[in-house]
Amino acid sequence: MAYLKVISKVYDMKKSAFLLGLVLLSSSCGQKSMIKSHVEARALGDGEFITFPVVVPLSDKAISSFKSPIGDMNPLFRGFASSIMNLGASMGAGKTRLTLTQPIPEIPDAYLASIKIKRIFFFIEGNDKKESFEFLRKLAVKVSPRTIEKDYPSWEPIVETDSFNDNELSYFSSLFRSKRDRHAQNWEKNSPGLLLIKYNEDQREASFLGEEVGAINIIQTEKPNATRKYLEDNYGAYFTRIHTLNKSILIEFKKNPVHEEMFKARLSADALKVEELGIGEINPCSNNVCMDLKVPDTNLIPMLKKGNALKIDSYIDPKYAPKSFQLKGFLEFELKIKAKI
């Protein structure tokens, strides 16, 4: 039965890759954007691997409705997204430490060659329009393998919020010393796991992606689903991605400032449609309200195979506990599937 199950999975993956290829082919023949879901419709193949992204928007509704093209991996992708949402809640409460243990599924490495986190994007939206990331001095997130009871009753994470003990505080402080010493470098290199995020307000440019990505705008709207469809159908030529984040629409423009200006000029001329959709403010992302974080280019599969759960340690250094806000954004994973099995 196990053999038949593997064969079935392989067949399903090849079928999915084939169908994905047809979607790409059909989309290239038209003039309109064909991005219709959070799993972006693009894939690249080199004969050995088929590579495609999986994007998980960071909002409670989006996470609960998200379905990965590889069903076995749903708990993993949702677990990472849930951990980020818990991180946002801890920030809002002024906590300094969050540890989350996320059960993970067995990795189907018979056909899955690589899982990478390619992008972590945060957007802060507060009840107070002046709310921003100014309250955050430093943030570090480290991921490591863990083994838990095999009959753990659900995929829900185990969450612990706390303050630092002396040992943890020493580790955290060593990451951000103005003059880095050997202790900090040895901790990063030798302690188990992967340093996924390291943000320092004193070195913002080193913490963020820069010219690698296009300009991002956040659009407020009363009708997010209808607005997204309208933008995809009429303005898709200007942007590379679009995501729904509750009542906000995130657009990333192609890397050409002309596209952003043409988009805004055309949209402002369509005043009746803008009013019908309840489109409000359109704000460009700045480092105060958006964090497009650098992440290591690392295949997670070797680490994932060392246990049946992930331990995600987050260290937070806030100046103060901010007012009520929502942490939105998205996680982007890159999957490589073996083309020949």
Side-chain angles (χ1 to χ4, degrees):
M1 292 298 292
Y3 175 76
L4 291 176
K5 186 177 180 181
V6 171
I7 292 297
S8 174
K9 287 182 178 179
V10 171
Y11 173 76
D12 288 344
M13 287 308 305
K14 287 188 173 181
K15 182 171 69 175
S16 297
F18 176 71
L19 291 174
L20 188 59
L22 290 180
V23 170
L24 290 169
L25 181 61
S26 64
S27 67
S28 67
C29 298
Q31 299 301 315
K32 296 181 180 180
S33 169
M34 298 298 291
I35 303 173
K36 297 297 180 186
S37 70
H38 296 311
V39 180
E40 296 183 46
R42 72 175 190 267
L44 298 173
D46 59 7
E48 185 177 1
F49 301 107
I50 298 169
T51 303
F52 62 94
V54 175
V55 177
V56 188
L58 294 175
S59 70
D60 292 332
K61 291 181 180 178
I63 292 173
S64 62
S65 64
F66 167 79
K67 290 185 178 179
S68 162
I70 304 179
D72 289 351
M73 295 292 98
N74 268 330
L76 175 65
F77 298 141
R78 283 180 176 166
F80 266 107
S82 295
S83 71
I84 296 299
M85 295 298 286
N86 277 290
L87 179 61
S90 294
M91 287 181 186
K95 298 290 185 180
T96 56
R97 178 177 172 270
L98 170 70
T99 295
L100 183 145
T101 301
Q102 173 63 49
I104 59 174
E106 184 178 350
I107 303 300
D109 56 349
Y111 56 83
L112 190 57
S114 173
I115 302 172
K116 294 182 178 181
I117 298 177
K118 300 298 289 185
R119 195 111 171 246
I120 298 178
F121 179 90
F122 294 157
F123 162 56
I124 190 170
E125 186 176 82
N127 295 332
D128 180 349
K129 293 295 182 182
K130 296 180 180 179
E131 196 62 78
S132 72
F133 284 113
E134 289 293 324
F135 75 90
L136 186 63
R137 291 191 188 95
K138 299 176 180 68
L139 171 67
V141 177
K142 195 157 194 179
V143 184
S144 56
R146 179 177 257 188
T147 300
I148 60 175
E149 295 179 10
K150 290 189 177 181
D151 57 350
Y152 186 73
S154 76
W155 295 112
E156 292 299 315
I158 305 165
V159 180
E160 306 165 47
T161 56
D162 210 332
S163 297
F164 293 117
N165 62 39
D166 291 342
N167 203 29
E168 290 167 334
L169 182 59
S170 175
Y171 284 153
F172 178 67
S173 299
S174 72
L175 285 172
F176 297 101
R177 291 182 179 174
S178 56
K179 294 183 179 179
R180 291 175 52 75
D181 61 13
R182 187 175 300 174
H183 173 71
Q185 295 169 3
N186 286 343
W187 181 75
E188 286 183 37
K189 180 179 179 181
N190 298 326
S191 63
L194 174 70
L195 186 61
L196 187 62
I197 295 174
K198 187 172 71 171
Y199 166 76
N200 187 346
E201 70 168 354
D202 295 330
Q203 299 172 333
R204 285 190 170 191
E205 291 188 5
S207 304
F208 296 149
L209 292 176
E211 296 182 355
E212 303 100 305
V213 296
I216 291 178
N217 278 200
I218 306 293
I219 302 173
Q220 306 299 326
T221 175
E222 293 300 317
K223 299 179 180 178
N225 292 334
T227 298
R228 175 172 172 162
K229 185 178 188 307
Y230 167 71
L231 294 176
E232 287 176 335
D233 290 345
N234 295 278
Y235 297 89
Y238 299 130
F239 53 79
T240 59
R241 72 166 71 231
I242 180 170
H243 300 309
T244 306
L245 308 173
N246 288 350
K247 287 192 174 183
S248 302
I249 303 291
L250 178 152
I251 286 181
E252 180 180 331
F253 291 98
K254 293 179 179 178
K255 288 184 61 180
N256 185 333
V258 173
H259 289 300
E260 185 176 359
E261 295 305 317
M262 290 179 65
F263 168 82
K264 291 180 178 178
R266 279 189 56 195
L267 190 64
S268 64
D270 199 356
L272 290 178
K273 192 66 178 180
V274 168
E275 183 178 358
E276 175 191 332
L277 293 170
I279 294 176
E281 293 183 1
I282 301 177
N283 297 313
C285 269
S286 69
N287 289 345
N288 287 337
V289 295
C290 297
M291 297 175 69
D292 209 345
L293 293 156
K294 290 183 178 179
V295 291
D297 186 30
T298 302
N299 182 4
L300 299 176
I301 288 181
M303 179 176 65
L304 296 174
K305 290 179 68 64
K306 291 180 179 179
N308 61 358
L310 285 178
K311 182 184 177 190
I312 304 174
D313 285 307
S314 302
Y315 302 130
I316 309 160
D317 181 11
K319 298 175 187 175
Y320 56 88
K323 296 178 181 178
S324 176
F325 73 90
Q326 290 185 339
L327 186 68
K328 299 181 180 180
F330 63 87
L331 300 181
E332 181 174 338
F333 297 85
E334 178 194 86
L335 274 64
K336 281 190 176 183
I337 299 172
K338 298 174 184 177
K340 298 177 181 179
I341 302 176

